[in-house]
């Protein structure tokens, strides 16, 4: 007794396999791999300064995960919750800080995990403290502030000198 598969069933199986491969490939391109176990953690920020889904999560410059989702906190505070996932084999010690920083000159944002020496570890689903590194514009402003103050003082001195010269003549 031979088992025959109709051409309609063959077509259905091919469409199903194609859809599964398409969904898997699309998620793989997004950085989501179903076969690699990951731990998810949460961070609450007041602002994310351009951090986006699928941004890198780094430890000492090495990519260990990526941002999965960003959404507003439900209590209408305006705070943002960032969910990121890292490889399951890596455990985060307590008091680890998730700092948003510019990963390149173009302003692409990423999260840098600043590890501590704590023996206790976070479990998946825990909320980790977060901070934001100042952007390039803010860093330049901080370094230029003393120069700006000196230039203003110089302008005042020149103005006083001009007034004194005007009074002489």
């Amino acid at each position: 007794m031979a088992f025959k598969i109709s051409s309609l069933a063959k077509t259905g199986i091919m469409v199903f396999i194609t859809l599964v491969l398409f969904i898997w490939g699309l998620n793989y391109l997004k950085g989501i791999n179903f076969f690699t176990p990951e731990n998810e953690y949460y961070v609450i920020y007041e602002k994310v300064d351009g951090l986006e889904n699928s941004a890198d999560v780094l430890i000492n410059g090495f990519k260990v995960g990526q941002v999965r989702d960003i959404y507003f906190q439900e209590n209408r505070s305006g705070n943002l919750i960032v969910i990121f996932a890292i490889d399951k084999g890596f455990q985060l010690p307590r008091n680890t800080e998730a700092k948003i920083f510019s990963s390149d000159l173009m302003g692409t944002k990423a999260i840098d995990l600043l590890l501590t020496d704590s023996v206790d570890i976070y479990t998946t689903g825990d909320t980790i403290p977060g901070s934001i590194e100042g952007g390039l514009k803010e860093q330049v402003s901080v370094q230029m502030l003393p120069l700006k103050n000196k230039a203003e003082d110089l302008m005042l001195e020149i103005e006083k000198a001009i007034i004194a010269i005007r009074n002489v003549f």
Side-chain angles (χ1 to χ4, degrees):
M1 179 167 139
F3 183 68
K4 274 191 163 181
I5 298 176
S6 70
S7 62
L8 214 50
K10 289 178 186 177
T11 304
I13 291 170
M14 288 302 292
V15 168
F16 177 75
I17 291 172
T18 303
L19 281 174
V20 167
L21 288 174
F22 177 74
I23 292 170
W24 177 80
L26 191 62
N27 283 320
Y28 183 77
L29 290 175
K30 287 182 187 178
I32 301 170
N33 190 351
F34 294 117
F35 304 114
T36 304
E38 297 177 326
N39 289 333
E40 283 191 346
Y41 299 97
Y42 298 85
V43 186
I44 299 174
Y45 295 105
E46 289 182 19
K47 59 182 182 173
V48 292
D49 281 349
L51 184 73
E52 296 179 356
N53 288 348
S54 75
D56 293 340
V57 176
L58 309 170
I59 296 176
N60 297 332
F62 182 72
K63 182 179 176 181
V64 293
Q66 72 181 55
V67 173
R68 291 285 181 236
D69 197 12
I70 302 172
Y71 59 90
F72 281 103
Q73 201 171 14
E74 292 178 3
N75 63 5
R76 297 180 190 252
S77 64
N79 290 338
L80 294 153
I81 297 176
V82 175
I83 302 172
F84 68 89
I86 63 170
D87 297 334
K88 196 167 193 105
F90 194 84
Q91 298 177 341
L92 296 179
R94 288 269 175 201
N95 299 323
T96 293
E97 184 179 356
K99 181 182 242 179
I100 296 177
F101 74 104
S102 292
S103 62
D104 58 21
L105 288 176
M106 299 304 293
T108 304
K109 300 296 183 178
I111 294 179
D112 188 22
L113 297 175
L114 305 173
L115 304 177
T116 62
D117 294 333
S118 177
V119 178
D120 297 331
I121 60 169
Y122 285 114
T123 59
T124 188
D126 282 348
T127 301
I128 296 173
S131 64
I132 301 174
E133 181 180 72
L136 184 61
K137 180 179 172 185
E138 293 169 357
Q139 291 174 2
V140 168
S141 295
V142 166
Q143 291 185 3
M144 293 300 287
L145 186 62
L147 184 61
K148 177 184 169 242
N149 291 338
K150 286 182 182 179
E152 288 174 353
D153 291 343
L154 179 64
M155 293 297 287
L156 287 174
E157 294 297 325
I158 291 173
E159 186 178 337
K160 288 178 185 177
I162 290 174
I163 291 173
I165 293 172
R166 191 180 301 160
N167 288 338
V168 170
F169 292 113

